[in-house]
Amino acid sequence: MHLHLKENKVPITSNIKPWEEGKGSGDTDLDNIASGLSLAGIKTNGVLMLGTEEGTTAIHTNYDYNHSTGELTPAKGEVPIYWDMLQGIPHSFQATFVPAGEAPAGQEKDILWGTSASVPFGNSIELEMKHAMAQLVLELGSDGSITSDELKAATVTFYVPQYVTEISWNQLSTSTNNARTILPGTSATDGLTRIATVYPQTWKADALVMSLKLGDNADGKVYTLYAKDIVSGIAATGNDFTLKAGEIYTLSAKLSKTEI
């Protein structure tokens, strides 16, 4: 007797937990694999990379996601994954969601990824999706000697030693060749907050993390911050500085003009 499993069309639903200060967080539920999928909760177009393994053989595919319609469709040239393509045993699935469009210069996209538990054959998939990136934030302030307009016009630069070079359904490949220089985006709320999305990584104690320059004069003073000088609590740690996936790390800088 030969049995053929029907190709079912089943929706995917998703809810992404917002960024949280100081710790990685995020979750989503994905239900089943099939063609004609739908994905709710992600508010941007993008590509969902989904895959599993049969022994040492990878079986994976990509879906284009249109957030305005809430649907996923197989990407051009891609073949959907159906249960009847797999052995009749439990499987674990991995997924990576990559937003469409270009990230700000030098920055990373807000990539999501997750791994399911072992799923009994033919059952629905539940994936906990998390932010694969981290965010570095600088809040500018003054003792009153530097105006708000001067702070808003300051040139802030983040120095990032590690960045993503390749994305697949089950891993992110990175490189440390030619460290990136990032001019972080400015918050539209107050113009004094700068934020950048970066790959989670560690800056060695003597590594430059950030520089800030007031004014546009060529010989203007440049203020620098090294990993060992980052303050946690009362004093500088003197140690390496680490950003973990899903974390927002906020640096507060209070600038002042000092008389001679």
Side-chain angles (χ1 to χ4, degrees):
M1 179 182 292
H2 177 72
L3 295 178
H4 180 79
L5 300 181
K6 183 180 179 181
E7 299 175 349
N8 294 318
K9 296 184 178 182
V10 190
I12 289 180
T13 60
S14 172
N15 290 293
I16 305 302
K17 192 173 182 179
W19 291 95
E20 287 190 358
E21 190 75 29
K23 65 179 182 180
S25 177
D27 61 80
T28 188
D29 294 325
L30 303 181
D31 296 333
N32 290 347
I33 46 176
S35 63
L37 302 173
S38 65
L39 179 64
I42 297 179
K43 305 303 181 183
T44 181
N45 294 341
V47 175
L48 180 73
M49 303 177 178
L50 182 69
T52 187
E53 292 182 347
E54 295 267 43
T56 58
T57 302
I59 298 176
H60 56 91
T61 191
N62 297 338
Y63 298 93
D64 290 326
Y65 174 61
N66 185 322
H67 82 95
S68 63
T69 62
E71 292 186 350
L72 279 160
T73 55
K76 185 177 180 179
E78 296 285 336
V79 177
I81 301 176
Y82 298 106
W83 273 113
D84 62 349
M85 297 167 57
L86 307 175
Q87 298 181 39
I89 58 175
H91 286 76
S92 293
F93 293 87
Q94 292 176 288
T96 300
F97 180 81
V98 183
E102 295 295 327
Q107 298 192 45
E108 306 284 6
K109 293 184 177 183
D110 183 13
I111 300 168
L112 305 172
W113 61 6
T115 301
S116 76
S118 182
V119 182
F121 184 80
N123 285 23
S124 63
I125 300 169
E126 293 184 359
L127 280 167
E128 182 183 47
M129 299 289 284
K130 299 180 179 180
H131 294 285
M133 298 296 109
Q135 288 189 340
L136 186 58
V137 178
L138 175 66
E139 294 179 343
L140 297 176
S142 169
D143 62 355
S145 60
I146 300 175
T147 68
S148 176
D149 287 342
E150 286 180 292
L151 292 177
K152 291 178 182 179
T155 301
V156 175
T157 305
F158 293 154
Y159 299 90
V160 181
Q162 194 172 2
Y163 55 92
V164 175
T165 56
E166 187 175 354
I167 305 169
S168 68
W169 61 279
N170 64 346
Q171 68 179 7
L172 302 178
S173 299
T174 62
S175 175
T176 56
N177 296 327
N178 301 320
R180 289 190 173 188
T181 299
I182 297 175
L183 298 178
T186 302
S187 168
T189 304
D190 58 11
L192 299 176
T193 302
R194 310 296 175 88
I195 184 169
T197 300
V198 301
Y199 181 77
Q201 59 195 282
T202 296
W203 285 255
K204 293 299 184 181
D206 292 326
L208 180 62
V209 176
M210 182 199 75
S211 68
L212 181 149
K213 180 180 178 182
L214 291 174
D216 55 7
N217 294 330
D219 58 351
K221 174 67 176 177
V222 176
Y223 301 87
T224 56
L225 179 70
Y226 291 82
K228 62 184 178 182
D229 299 321
I230 292 178
V231 174
S232 178
I234 299 175
T237 63
N239 300 321
D240 299 346
F241 168 53
T242 299
L243 270 178
K244 297 180 181 179
E247 283 190 356
I248 293 178
Y249 198 99
T250 302
L251 301 169
S252 297
K254 186 175 182 179
L255 307 180
S256 63
K257 294 181 179 178
T258 305
E259 294 183 5
I260 296 177

PDB file of all heavy atoms in Angstrom, residues 154-188:
ATOM      1  N   ALA A 154      25.995  67.322  16.858  1.00  0.00           N
ATOM      2  CA  ALA A 154      27.231  66.584  17.126  1.00  0.00           C
ATOM      3  C   ALA A 154      27.356  65.390  16.188  1.00  0.00           C
ATOM      4  O   ALA A 154      26.365  64.771  15.789  1.00  0.00           O
ATOM      5  CB  ALA A 154      27.248  66.116  18.572  1.00  0.00           C
ATOM      6  N   THR A 155      28.594  65.073  15.824  1.00  0.00           N
ATOM      7  CA  THR A 155      28.878  63.904  14.999  1.00  0.00           C
ATOM      8  C   THR A 155      29.257  62.745  15.911  1.00  0.00           C
ATOM      9  O   THR A 155      30.276  62.799  16.607  1.00  0.00           O
ATOM     10  CB  THR A 155      30.022  64.175  14.014  1.00  0.00           C
ATOM     11  OG1 THR A 155      29.670  65.272  13.172  1.00  0.00           O
ATOM     12  CG2 THR A 155      30.300  62.951  13.166  1.00  0.00           C
ATOM     13  N   VAL A 156      28.430  61.725  15.929  1.00  0.00           N
ATOM     14  CA  VAL A 156      28.665  60.551  16.768  1.00  0.00           C
ATOM     15  C   VAL A 156      29.023  59.375  15.862  1.00  0.00           C
ATOM     16  O   VAL A 156      28.363  59.123  14.856  1.00  0.00           O
ATOM     17  CB  VAL A 156      27.419  60.212  17.611  1.00  0.00           C
ATOM     18  CG1 VAL A 156      27.640  58.917  18.390  1.00  0.00           C
ATOM     19  CG2 VAL A 156      27.088  61.359  18.563  1.00  0.00           C
ATOM     20  N   THR A 157      30.064  58.649  16.241  1.00  0.00           N
ATOM     21  CA  THR A 157      30.521  57.508  15.457  1.00  0.00           C
ATOM     22  C   THR A 157      30.688  56.298  16.362  1.00  0.00           C
ATOM     23  O   THR A 157      31.325  56.386  17.410  1.00  0.00           O
ATOM     24  CB  THR A 157      31.858  57.800  14.760  1.00  0.00           C
ATOM     25  OG1 THR A 157      31.736  59.000  13.972  1.00  0.00           O
ATOM     26  CG2 THR A 157      32.257  56.655  13.859  1.00  0.00           C
ATOM     27  N   PHE A 158      30.095  55.162  15.962  1.00  0.00           N
ATOM     28  CA  PHE A 158      30.320  53.901  16.655  1.00  0.00           C
ATOM     29  C   PHE A 158      31.313  53.081  15.825  1.00  0.00           C
ATOM     30  O   PHE A 158      31.240  53.066  14.592  1.00  0.00           O
ATOM     31  CB  PHE A 158      29.017  53.109  16.797  1.00  0.00           C
ATOM     32  CG  PHE A 158      27.996  53.743  17.702  1.00  0.00           C
ATOM     33  CD1 PHE A 158      26.644  53.481  17.535  1.00  0.00           C
ATOM     34  CD2 PHE A 158      28.373  54.592  18.729  1.00  0.00           C
ATOM     35  CE1 PHE A 158      25.693  54.052  18.370  1.00  0.00           C
ATOM     36  CE2 PHE A 158      27.432  55.174  19.573  1.00  0.00           C
ATOM     37  CZ  PHE A 158      26.091  54.893  19.390  1.00  0.00           C
ATOM     38  N   TYR A 159      32.202  52.378  16.507  1.00  0.00           N
ATOM     39  CA  TYR A 159      33.201  51.537  15.838  1.00  0.00           C
ATOM     40  C   TYR A 159      32.890  50.072  16.149  1.00  0.00           C
ATOM     41  O   TYR A 159      32.938  49.650  17.297  1.00  0.00           O
ATOM     42  CB  TYR A 159      34.603  51.910  16.294  1.00  0.00           C
ATOM     43  CG  TYR A 159      34.944  53.344  15.964  1.00  0.00           C
ATOM     44  CD1 TYR A 159      34.666  54.366  16.865  1.00  0.00           C
ATOM     45  CD2 TYR A 159      35.496  53.677  14.737  1.00  0.00           C
ATOM     46  CE1 TYR A 159      34.956  55.692  16.559  1.00  0.00           C
ATOM     47  CE2 TYR A 159      35.782  55.006  14.410  1.00  0.00           C
ATOM     48  CZ  TYR A 159      35.504  56.006  15.327  1.00  0.00           C
ATOM     49  OH  TYR A 159      35.776  57.312  15.022  1.00  0.00           O
ATOM     50  N   VAL A 160      32.547  49.311  15.099  1.00  0.00           N
ATOM     51  CA  VAL A 160      32.046  47.948  15.268  1.00  0.00           C
ATOM     52  C   VAL A 160      33.023  46.947  14.649  1.00  0.00           C
ATOM     53  O   VAL A 160      33.220  46.939  13.436  1.00  0.00           O
ATOM     54  CB  VAL A 160      30.654  47.802  14.611  1.00  0.00           C
ATOM     55  CG1 VAL A 160      30.124  46.402  14.813  1.00  0.00           C
ATOM     56  CG2 VAL A 160      29.693  48.825  15.202  1.00  0.00           C
ATOM     57  N   PRO A 161      33.636  46.099  15.462  1.00  0.00           N
ATOM     58  CA  PRO A 161      34.642  45.169  14.938  1.00  0.00           C
ATOM     59  C   PRO A 161      34.083  43.946  14.228  1.00  0.00           C
ATOM     60  O   PRO A 161      34.781  43.298  13.460  1.00  0.00           O
ATOM     61  CB  PRO A 161      35.411  44.743  16.206  1.00  0.00           C
ATOM     62  CG  PRO A 161      34.436  44.927  17.315  1.00  0.00           C
ATOM     63  CD  PRO A 161      33.581  46.092  16.940  1.00  0.00           C
ATOM     64  N   GLN A 162      32.821  43.584  14.452  1.00  0.00           N
ATOM     65  CA  GLN A 162      32.273  42.357  13.882  1.00  0.00           C
ATOM     66  C   GLN A 162      30.914  42.636  13.258  1.00  0.00           C
ATOM     67  O   GLN A 162      30.102  43.365  13.824  1.00  0.00           O
ATOM     68  CB  GLN A 162      32.142  41.290  14.969  1.00  0.00           C
ATOM     69  CG  GLN A 162      31.894  39.889  14.443  1.00  0.00           C
ATOM     70  CD  GLN A 162      31.975  38.843  15.548  1.00  0.00           C
ATOM     71  OE1 GLN A 162      32.187  39.163  16.709  1.00  0.00           O
ATOM     72  NE2 GLN A 162      31.803  37.595  15.189  1.00  0.00           N
ATOM     73  N   TYR A 163      30.670  42.044  12.090  1.00  0.00           N
ATOM     74  CA  TYR A 163      29.412  42.287  11.393  1.00  0.00           C
ATOM     75  C   TYR A 163      29.028  41.068  10.549  1.00  0.00           C
ATOM     76  O   TYR A 163      29.854  40.208  10.250  1.00  0.00           O
ATOM     77  CB  TYR A 163      29.509  43.529  10.507  1.00  0.00           C
ATOM     78  CG  TYR A 163      30.645  43.496   9.512  1.00  0.00           C
ATOM     79  CD1 TYR A 163      30.453  43.012   8.226  1.00  0.00           C
ATOM     80  CD2 TYR A 163      31.914  43.944   9.860  1.00  0.00           C
ATOM     81  CE1 TYR A 163      31.494  42.969   7.316  1.00  0.00           C
ATOM     82  CE2 TYR A 163      32.972  43.904   8.954  1.00  0.00           C
ATOM     83  CZ  TYR A 163      32.746  43.419   7.686  1.00  0.00           C
ATOM     84  OH  TYR A 163      33.789  43.365   6.803  1.00  0.00           O
ATOM     85  N   VAL A 164      27.754  40.996  10.186  1.00  0.00           N
ATOM     86  CA  VAL A 164      27.215  39.854   9.445  1.00  0.00           C
ATOM     87  C   VAL A 164      27.631  39.921   7.984  1.00  0.00           C
ATOM     88  O   VAL A 164      27.518  40.968   7.337  1.00  0.00           O
ATOM     89  CB  VAL A 164      25.680  39.811   9.551  1.00  0.00           C
ATOM     90  CG1 VAL A 164      25.106  38.698   8.677  1.00  0.00           C
ATOM     91  CG2 VAL A 164      25.252  39.607  11.003  1.00  0.00           C
ATOM     92  N   THR A 165      28.095  38.801   7.454  1.00  0.00           N
ATOM     93  CA  THR A 165      28.479  38.735   6.045  1.00  0.00           C
ATOM     94  C   THR A 165      27.589  37.797   5.230  1.00  0.00           C
ATOM     95  O   THR A 165      27.522  37.902   4.013  1.00  0.00           O
ATOM     96  CB  THR A 165      29.938  38.273   5.893  1.00  0.00           C
ATOM     97  OG1 THR A 165      30.102  37.011   6.568  1.00  0.00           O
ATOM     98  CG2 THR A 165      30.891  39.290   6.503  1.00  0.00           C
ATOM     99  N   GLU A 166      26.904  36.868   5.906  1.00  0.00           N
ATOM    100  CA  GLU A 166      26.038  35.923   5.199  1.00  0.00           C
ATOM    101  C   GLU A 166      24.938  35.441   6.142  1.00  0.00           C
ATOM    102  O   GLU A 166      25.180  35.207   7.326  1.00  0.00           O
ATOM    103  CB  GLU A 166      26.847  34.726   4.695  1.00  0.00           C
ATOM    104  CG  GLU A 166      26.066  33.775   3.812  1.00  0.00           C
ATOM    105  CD  GLU A 166      26.929  32.657   3.240  1.00  0.00           C
ATOM    106  OE1 GLU A 166      28.153  32.690   3.438  1.00  0.00           O
ATOM    107  OE2 GLU A 166      26.369  31.739   2.613  1.00  0.00           O
ATOM    108  N   ILE A 167      23.728  35.293   5.597  1.00  0.00           N
ATOM    109  CA  ILE A 167      22.568  34.881   6.389  1.00  0.00           C
ATOM    110  C   ILE A 167      21.959  33.637   5.760  1.00  0.00           C
ATOM    111  O   ILE A 167      21.762  33.578   4.553  1.00  0.00           O
ATOM    112  CB  ILE A 167      21.506  35.995   6.437  1.00  0.00           C
ATOM    113  CG1 ILE A 167      22.115  37.304   6.951  1.00  0.00           C
ATOM    114  CG2 ILE A 167      20.316  35.580   7.307  1.00  0.00           C
ATOM    115  CD1 ILE A 167      21.206  38.503   6.783  1.00  0.00           C
ATOM    116  N   SER A 168      21.668  32.622   6.572  1.00  0.00           N
ATOM    117  CA  SER A 168      20.988  31.436   6.071  1.00  0.00           C
ATOM    118  C   SER A 168      19.872  31.056   7.036  1.00  0.00           C
ATOM    119  O   SER A 168      19.634  31.742   8.023  1.00  0.00           O
ATOM    120  CB  SER A 168      21.971  30.267   5.907  1.00  0.00           C
ATOM    121  OG  SER A 168      22.423  29.812   7.174  1.00  0.00           O
ATOM    122  N   TRP A 169      19.193  29.979   6.779  1.00  0.00           N
ATOM    123  CA  TRP A 169      18.044  29.560   7.577  1.00  0.00           C
ATOM    124  C   TRP A 169      18.445  29.140   8.987  1.00  0.00           C
ATOM    125  O   TRP A 169      17.624  29.132   9.895  1.00  0.00           O
ATOM    126  CB  TRP A 169      17.299  28.423   6.893  1.00  0.00           C
ATOM    127  CG  TRP A 169      18.140  27.179   6.704  1.00  0.00           C
ATOM    128  CD1 TRP A 169      19.038  26.972   5.704  1.00  0.00           C
ATOM    129  CD2 TRP A 169      18.166  26.016   7.518  1.00  0.00           C
ATOM    130  NE1 TRP A 169      19.635  25.738   5.852  1.00  0.00           N
ATOM    131  CE2 TRP A 169      19.113  25.128   6.959  1.00  0.00           C
ATOM    132  CE3 TRP A 169      17.477  25.623   8.665  1.00  0.00           C
ATOM    133  CZ2 TRP A 169      19.384  23.879   7.506  1.00  0.00           C
ATOM    134  CZ3 TRP A 169      17.761  24.380   9.218  1.00  0.00           C
ATOM    135  CH2 TRP A 169      18.696  23.522   8.639  1.00  0.00           C
ATOM    136  N   ASN A 170      19.731  28.779   9.187  1.00  0.00           N
ATOM    137  CA  ASN A 170      20.120  28.265  10.502  1.00  0.00           C
ATOM    138  C   ASN A 170      21.364  28.904  11.104  1.00  0.00           C
ATOM    139  O   ASN A 170      21.807  28.512  12.171  1.00  0.00           O
ATOM    140  CB  ASN A 170      20.331  26.751  10.433  1.00  0.00           C
ATOM    141  CG  ASN A 170      21.492  26.364   9.513  1.00  0.00           C
ATOM    142  OD1 ASN A 170      21.977  27.176   8.736  1.00  0.00           O
ATOM    143  ND2 ASN A 170      21.914  25.128   9.599  1.00  0.00           N
ATOM    144  N   GLN A 171      21.916  29.906  10.440  1.00  0.00           N
ATOM    145  CA  GLN A 171      23.085  30.545  11.031  1.00  0.00           C
ATOM    146  C   GLN A 171      23.381  31.896  10.380  1.00  0.00           C
ATOM    147  O   GLN A 171      22.951  32.182   9.267  1.00  0.00           O
ATOM    148  CB  GLN A 171      24.327  29.652  10.900  1.00  0.00           C
ATOM    149  CG  GLN A 171      24.809  29.470   9.469  1.00  0.00           C
ATOM    150  CD  GLN A 171      26.052  28.596   9.389  1.00  0.00           C
ATOM    151  OE1 GLN A 171      26.488  28.018  10.373  1.00  0.00           O
ATOM    152  NE2 GLN A 171      26.621  28.484   8.206  1.00  0.00           N
ATOM    153  N   LEU A 172      24.121  32.720  11.144  1.00  0.00           N
ATOM    154  CA  LEU A 172      24.640  33.983  10.637  1.00  0.00           C
ATOM    155  C   LEU A 172      26.151  33.877  10.602  1.00  0.00           C
ATOM    156  O   LEU A 172      26.778  33.531  11.603  1.00  0.00           O
ATOM    157  CB  LEU A 172      24.231  35.145  11.547  1.00  0.00           C
ATOM    158  CG  LEU A 172      22.737  35.361  11.786  1.00  0.00           C
ATOM    159  CD1 LEU A 172      22.523  36.530  12.743  1.00  0.00           C
ATOM    160  CD2 LEU A 172      22.005  35.616  10.492  1.00  0.00           C
ATOM    161  N   SER A 173      26.730  34.137   9.446  1.00  0.00           N
ATOM    162  CA  SER A 173      28.187  34.130   9.334  1.00  0.00           C
ATOM    163  C   SER A 173      28.687  35.562   9.498  1.00  0.00           C
ATOM    164  O   SER A 173      28.058  36.512   9.022  1.00  0.00           O
ATOM    165  CB  SER A 173      28.619  33.574   7.973  1.00  0.00           C
ATOM    166  OG  SER A 173      28.164  32.236   7.828  1.00  0.00           O
ATOM    167  N   THR A 174      29.822  35.725  10.196  1.00  0.00           N
ATOM    168  CA  THR A 174      30.328  37.058  10.489  1.00  0.00           C
ATOM    169  C   THR A 174      31.778  37.205  10.070  1.00  0.00           C
ATOM    170  O   THR A 174      32.467  36.230   9.774  1.00  0.00           O
ATOM    171  CB  THR A 174      30.217  37.373  11.991  1.00  0.00           C
ATOM    172  OG1 THR A 174      31.024  36.435  12.725  1.00  0.00           O
ATOM    173  CG2 THR A 174      28.787  37.275  12.461  1.00  0.00           C
ATOM    174  N   SER A 175      32.226  38.447  10.055  1.00  0.00           N
ATOM    175  CA  SER A 175      33.605  38.763   9.699  1.00  0.00           C
ATOM    176  C   SER A 175      34.121  39.864  10.611  1.00  0.00           C
ATOM    177  O   SER A 175      33.358  40.676  11.128  1.00  0.00           O
ATOM    178  CB  SER A 175      33.695  39.234   8.243  1.00  0.00           C
ATOM    179  OG  SER A 175      35.007  39.656   7.935  1.00  0.00           O
ATOM    180  N   THR A 176      35.434  39.869  10.825  1.00  0.00           N
ATOM    181  CA  THR A 176      36.076  40.947  11.578  1.00  0.00           C
ATOM    182  C   THR A 176      37.055  41.706  10.689  1.00  0.00           C
ATOM    183  O   THR A 176      37.832  42.520  11.185  1.00  0.00           O
ATOM    184  CB  THR A 176      36.829  40.388  12.808  1.00  0.00           C
ATOM    185  OG1 THR A 176      37.765  39.389  12.378  1.00  0.00           O
ATOM    186  CG2 THR A 176      35.859  39.769  13.799  1.00  0.00           C
ATOM    187  N   ASN A 177      37.025  41.430   9.382  1.00  0.00           N
ATOM    188  CA  ASN A 177      37.891  42.156   8.459  1.00  0.00           C
ATOM    189  C   ASN A 177      37.333  43.554   8.203  1.00  0.00           C
ATOM    190  O   ASN A 177      36.147  43.710   7.921  1.00  0.00           O
ATOM    191  CB  ASN A 177      38.002  41.404   7.125  1.00  0.00           C
ATOM    192  CG  ASN A 177      38.672  40.049   7.282  1.00  0.00           C
ATOM    193  OD1 ASN A 177      39.542  39.887   8.126  1.00  0.00           O
ATOM    194  ND2 ASN A 177      38.240  39.088   6.484  1.00  0.00           N
ATOM    195  N   ASN A 178      38.194  44.550   8.295  1.00  0.00           N
ATOM    196  CA  ASN A 178      37.787  45.934   8.039  1.00  0.00           C
ATOM    197  C   ASN A 178      36.618  46.344   8.930  1.00  0.00           C
ATOM    198  O   ASN A 178      35.465  46.398   8.497  1.00  0.00           O
ATOM    199  CB  ASN A 178      37.409  46.135   6.566  1.00  0.00           C
ATOM    200  CG  ASN A 178      38.562  45.813   5.638  1.00  0.00           C
ATOM    201  OD1 ASN A 178      39.701  46.140   5.937  1.00  0.00           O
ATOM    202  ND2 ASN A 178      38.270  45.153   4.527  1.00  0.00           N
ATOM    203  N   ALA A 179      36.904  46.595  10.196  1.00  0.00           N
ATOM    204  CA  ALA A 179      35.869  46.976  11.158  1.00  0.00           C
ATOM    205  C   ALA A 179      35.028  48.119  10.611  1.00  0.00           C
ATOM    206  O   ALA A 179      35.535  49.029   9.962  1.00  0.00           O
ATOM    207  CB  ALA A 179      36.518  47.375  12.482  1.00  0.00           C
ATOM    208  N   ARG A 180      33.744  48.077  10.902  1.00  0.00           N
ATOM    209  CA  ARG A 180      32.821  49.070  10.353  1.00  0.00           C
ATOM    210  C   ARG A 180      32.755  50.330  11.218  1.00  0.00           C
ATOM    211  O   ARG A 180      32.868  50.286  12.434  1.00  0.00           O
ATOM    212  CB  ARG A 180      31.428  48.478  10.246  1.00  0.00           C
ATOM    213  CG  ARG A 180      31.312  47.439   9.146  1.00  0.00           C
ATOM    214  CD  ARG A 180      29.867  47.051   8.923  1.00  0.00           C
ATOM    215  NE  ARG A 180      29.749  46.182   7.755  1.00  0.00           N
ATOM    216  CZ  ARG A 180      28.595  45.816   7.223  1.00  0.00           C
ATOM    217  NH1 ARG A 180      27.468  46.216   7.752  1.00  0.00           N
ATOM    218  NH2 ARG A 180      28.558  45.030   6.172  1.00  0.00           N
ATOM    219  N   THR A 181      32.530  51.430  10.535  1.00  0.00           N
ATOM    220  CA  THR A 181      32.288  52.705  11.202  1.00  0.00           C
ATOM    221  C   THR A 181      30.835  53.076  10.959  1.00  0.00           C
ATOM    222  O   THR A 181      30.386  53.117   9.820  1.00  0.00           O
ATOM    223  CB  THR A 181      33.212  53.798  10.638  1.00  0.00           C
ATOM    224  OG1 THR A 181      34.573  53.424  10.855  1.00  0.00           O
ATOM    225  CG2 THR A 181      32.938  55.123  11.321  1.00  0.00           C
ATOM    226  N   ILE A 182      30.091  53.347  12.033  1.00  0.00           N
ATOM    227  CA  ILE A 182      28.662  53.599  11.932  1.00  0.00           C
ATOM    228  C   ILE A 182      28.330  54.993  12.438  1.00  0.00           C
ATOM    229  O   ILE A 182      28.761  55.391  13.516  1.00  0.00           O
ATOM    230  CB  ILE A 182      27.863  52.576  12.768  1.00  0.00           C
ATOM    231  CG1 ILE A 182      28.077  51.161  12.215  1.00  0.00           C
ATOM    232  CG2 ILE A 182      26.376  52.921  12.773  1.00  0.00           C
ATOM    233  CD1 ILE A 182      27.420  50.090  13.056  1.00  0.00           C
ATOM    234  N   LEU A 183      27.571  55.733  11.639  1.00  0.00           N
ATOM    235  CA  LEU A 183      26.992  56.983  12.104  1.00  0.00           C
ATOM    236  C   LEU A 183      25.562  56.649  12.521  1.00  0.00           C
ATOM    237  O   LEU A 183      24.699  56.461  11.670  1.00  0.00           O
ATOM    238  CB  LEU A 183      27.005  58.040  10.996  1.00  0.00           C
ATOM    239  CG  LEU A 183      28.384  58.437  10.481  1.00  0.00           C
ATOM    240  CD1 LEU A 183      28.247  59.455   9.352  1.00  0.00           C
ATOM    241  CD2 LEU A 183      29.239  59.011  11.586  1.00  0.00           C
ATOM    242  N   PRO A 184      25.299  56.523  13.822  1.00  0.00           N
ATOM    243  CA  PRO A 184      23.989  56.053  14.285  1.00  0.00           C
ATOM    244  C   PRO A 184      22.861  56.996  13.921  1.00  0.00           C
ATOM    245  O   PRO A 184      23.058  58.203  13.768  1.00  0.00           O
ATOM    246  CB  PRO A 184      24.176  55.961  15.804  1.00  0.00           C
ATOM    247  CG  PRO A 184      25.257  56.948  16.106  1.00  0.00           C
ATOM    248  CD  PRO A 184      26.186  56.894  14.936  1.00  0.00           C
ATOM    249  N   GLY A 185      21.681  56.431  13.794  1.00  0.00           N
ATOM    250  CA  GLY A 185      20.504  57.231  13.488  1.00  0.00           C
ATOM    251  C   GLY A 185      20.105  58.099  14.668  1.00  0.00           C
ATOM    252  O   GLY A 185      20.402  57.793  15.825  1.00  0.00           O
ATOM    253  N   THR A 186      19.434  59.213  14.367  1.00  0.00           N
ATOM    254  CA  THR A 186      18.989  60.144  15.408  1.00  0.00           C
ATOM    255  C   THR A 186      17.516  59.945  15.689  1.00  0.00           C
ATOM    256  O   THR A 186      16.708  59.854  14.778  1.00  0.00           O
ATOM    257  CB  THR A 186      19.225  61.600  14.962  1.00  0.00           C
ATOM    258  OG1 THR A 186      20.613  61.780  14.672  1.00  0.00           O
ATOM    259  CG2 THR A 186      18.815  62.575  16.055  1.00  0.00           C
ATOM    260  N   SER A 187      17.183  59.879  16.979  1.00  0.00           N
ATOM    261  CA  SER A 187      15.786  59.728  17.375  1.00  0.00           C
ATOM    262  C   SER A 187      14.976  60.931  16.921  1.00  0.00           C
ATOM    263  O   SER A 187      15.378  62.075  17.105  1.00  0.00           O
ATOM    264  CB  SER A 187      15.679  59.580  18.903  1.00  0.00           C
ATOM    265  OG  SER A 187      14.344  59.700  19.326  1.00  0.00           O
ATOM    266  N   ALA A 188      13.827  60.663  16.330  1.00  0.00           N
ATOM    267  CA  ALA A 188      12.957  61.750  15.871  1.00  0.00           C
ATOM    268  C   ALA A 188      12.253  62.429  17.037  1.00  0.00           C
ATOM    269  O   ALA A 188      11.693  63.507  16.885  1.00  0.00           O
ATOM    270  CB  ALA A 188      11.921  61.206  14.893  1.00  0.00           C
TER     271      ALA A 188
END
